[in-house]
Each structure stands twice: as structure tokens, then as C-alpha cells.
Amino acid sequence: MNSQAGPVTLPIGAVSQLRMELRHQLQSVAGESAQVEADLLLMTVLDCNRAQLFSAGDEPITAAQHRQLTTLVGRRLQGEPMAYILGKREFWSLDLTVNGATLIPRPETEQLVEIALQEITGEQARVADLGTGSGAIALALASERPHWQLIATDASQAALEVANGNARALALSNVEFRQGEWFAPLAGEQFDLIISNPPYVADDDPCLEQGDTAMEPRMALAAGDDGLDDLRQLIGGAAEFLHTGGQLLLEHGNDQRAELTRLLTTAGWQQIRYYEDLAGHDRCLLATRG
Ligand code: GLN
């Protein structure tokens, strides 16, 4: 058995039997999603789609496929997120490559894309996506607005390599990637919109140790005692890099609204609006440079 696979033992049996066995084995990490995850792993190893998997029935898998499956299941049982095992996650209908250097794009972040598309009505616009990770927000905007010019930044060179690869795979050429912290890569430039899903979780929040989050890059998630360290910098510094009337669009934590309002007002931002996610939690804000 592959040493990475730990204690996993799978019967060498028919596909239908493996589907059941895998569901049981994945229950502890995947809960209600155990069957979905079992099927995704099988589809990966067998290189087939769902319909082909369901119709495979009594067909056996090969010894090589069995070895690969055992390795993948072992990784999952050790808590590695499915997105990292499969190496991809869908965002805004784009198939994005992700790995341990990037946050796994969340469905709630699609709302930032939606708001940006509603707010910026011109055909031409210059937009900066700060802390782009896998490139999710910038690439979604680039795919919807081919005439916008996007600058996507990240402090992590490893994340930028993933983002760059995604841009190439999607043949999106209107995004320029730059390495650096927050405003450093924007020196001397001004934009119509600055958009970011920064880290905003408090350092001691137990959610950082739970589920997929435990294996994601800490620098993309945690932001000091109150989770506001990076949001403070963004709110404090963005105006200089926006045209008059330019907008700042930020994702944030669901319990940060009061403090964010105080910070935004103190820094002179106007027309502050908050948006809830699908769970009804405050999740992002839009503010205008006065
Ligand atoms: N919403 C994410 C979570 O709950 C946090 C993402 C972020 O910090 N930008 O894990």
C-alpha cells in the first residue's frame, strides 16, 4: 500500500461496490457529502463522468486505479480539502486551478463580482483586485468585461503563479498580475474600483482549525486579534489609489459592521452600503471616495 494512504484499505471490487465502501469511509470527514465526494474521487481515477460512473456497475477497476484511489482517499481522510485533491474549484462558472498556496474560492465571494458588474457601468474601467489568490475575482470580472483593464495582486508569489496559470488556461489577457502587499504594487496609479477579499478572521477564531479552513494558507484568512488588521489598511489607504468617485468593494466578517462603519466614516468614505450573503449575514461593503 502507498505509504501516504495511511490506514485506508479498499476492496478490489466492482465500481458499484466501491461507491458504497468509499461513502462509508469518507463519512467521518465529509458527512452528508460523503457520496458526492466518493463519486468525485472515483470519476477522477477512472477519468469518467457521472453518467459513466453510474453505468459502470459490476466493472472492476485496475490495480493502478486502485492504488491511485487509495492514495486520494488517504489524503482526504487526513483532512485535505477536496478542492486541493482535485486541484480545482468552480467560481463564477470558471474552472479554476487551486492548490495549498491559495484560498479555496467561496460561493459568497461571487457576490463581489455581481456588485462590481452592477456598479461599474462603463465599458472601459481600471480595476484592482488586491490579494487575488487563485485569481477568482479578477478573472471572473475579466471574463465578463473584456474591455476592462484588471490589475490583480498578491503578496504570495506561489499564489500568483496559480492565478497566472488560470488566466492562461481561460485565455483571459486583460488581467495583469503583480506581486506585493496591498497598495505596494499600485504605486502612482489610480483606479475606478478597488476590490478585495482580504483575510478577516480573528487569530484565535476556532474556525481556523476546522474543516477545509485548517489546510488553507493562514495568511489568506487570519488578520490579527479582531480580524480587522488588513481591512483597516485597505480602508485607510485605498482613497489615494482611486479617482474621485471611485469605489472600494470589500468582503468582511459577519460581526464587523459596526467597527467597519466607524473606520470608513473616520477615513471620509461616502455612500457606505452593506450587502448580506445568502445566509443573511453581512458579508461585503461598498464605499465611495469623496
Ligand atoms: N469566509 C472565509 C471563512 O469563513 C474567510 C475568507 C477570508 O478571510 N477572506 O473561512
Side-chain angles (χ1 to χ4, degrees):
M1 192 196 290
N2 188 309
S3 60
Q4 268 179 291
V8 181
T9 46
L10 291 172
I12 302 199
V15 169
S16 57
Q17 186 194 347
L18 277 167
R19 285 191 66 224
M20 272 195 301
E21 178 63 29
L22 280 174
R23 186 185 69 219
H24 290 307
Q25 296 214 5
L26 292 172
Q27 200 82 48
S28 59
V29 285
E32 283 178 358
S33 308
Q35 190 67 67
V36 173
E37 292 195 5
D39 291 348
L40 282 168
L41 294 178
L42 271 164
M43 283 153 59
T44 303
V45 166
L46 301 177
D47 193 20
C48 71
N49 63 31
R50 201 173 297 276
Q52 290 165 328
L53 180 71
F54 289 178
S55 59
D58 294 336
E59 286 172 36
I61 68 172
T62 68
Q65 288 167 337
H66 185 268
R67 272 196 302 280
Q68 194 195 350
L69 189 61
T70 304
T71 303
L72 297 187
V73 175
R75 286 169 61 184
R76 184 67 188 113
L77 289 177
Q78 280 166 21
E80 192 170 339
M82 280 297 282
Y84 292 160
I85 295 173
L86 302 176
K88 59 182 181 181
R89 176 55 49 100
E90 189 180 297
F91 181 85
W92 199 262
S93 299
L94 304 176
D95 237 333
L96 297 180
T97 290
V98 295
N99 65 26
T102 68
L103 195 76
I104 301 165
R106 317 275 204 262
E108 56 266 31
T109 304
E110 292 180 346
Q111 200 183 356
L112 273 80
V113 176
E114 222 172 283
I115 296 166
L117 294 175
Q118 270 163 22
E119 289 295 319
I120 308 285
T121 49
E123 195 171 316
Q124 311 277 343
R126 266 172 63 74
V127 177
D129 170 23
L130 305 187
T132 194
S134 62
I137 294 172
L139 294 170
L141 292 175
S143 74
E144 295 288 340
R145 297 286 185 268
H147 298 294
W148 286 9
Q149 191 191 353
L150 288 130
I151 306 294
T153 73
D154 209 286
S156 159
Q157 189 58 43
L160 281 180
E161 277 163 30
V162 174
N164 240 311
N166 281 325
R168 278 197 300 273
L170 295 164
L172 293 169
S173 55
N174 52 331
V175 187
E176 183 192 327
F177 295 96
R178 298 181 188 169
Q179 197 263 330
E181 299 221 356
W182 301 131
F183 303 109
L186 308 185
E189 296 181 38
Q190 285 192 316
F191 295 83
D192 302 296
L193 173 70
I194 292 178
I195 184 166
S196 181
N197 172 21
Y200 55 71
V201 180
D203 285 343
D204 66 355
D205 190 321
C207 86
L208 292 171
E209 309 305 332
Q210 290 160 10
D212 286 4
T213 312
M215 297 238 177
E216 291 180 291
R218 193 54 72 101
M219 70 178 282
L221 289 161
D225 290 347
D226 57 2
L228 287 164
D229 281 5
D230 296 285
L231 283 162
R232 245 182 240 111
Q233 287 192 55
L234 290 166
I235 289 168
E240 183 185 336
F241 302 94
L242 286 170
H243 301 297
T244 305
Q247 289 171 300
L248 177 65
L249 178 54
L250 300 171
E251 186 170 319
H252 60 79
N254 60 19
D255 55 355
Q256 296 172 332
R257 180 169 171 163
E259 184 56 14
L260 287 168
T261 302
R262 204 187 61 73
L263 292 167
L264 287 159
T265 312
T266 307
W269 291 93
Q270 300 186 349
Q271 298 169 45
I272 302 161
R273 268 187 269 159
Y274 290 92
Y275 299 81
E276 292 178 354
D277 60 21
L278 289 174
H281 298 130
D282 287 324
R283 186 56 60 202
C284 54
L285 70 85
L286 180 71
T288 302
R289 187 198 143 165

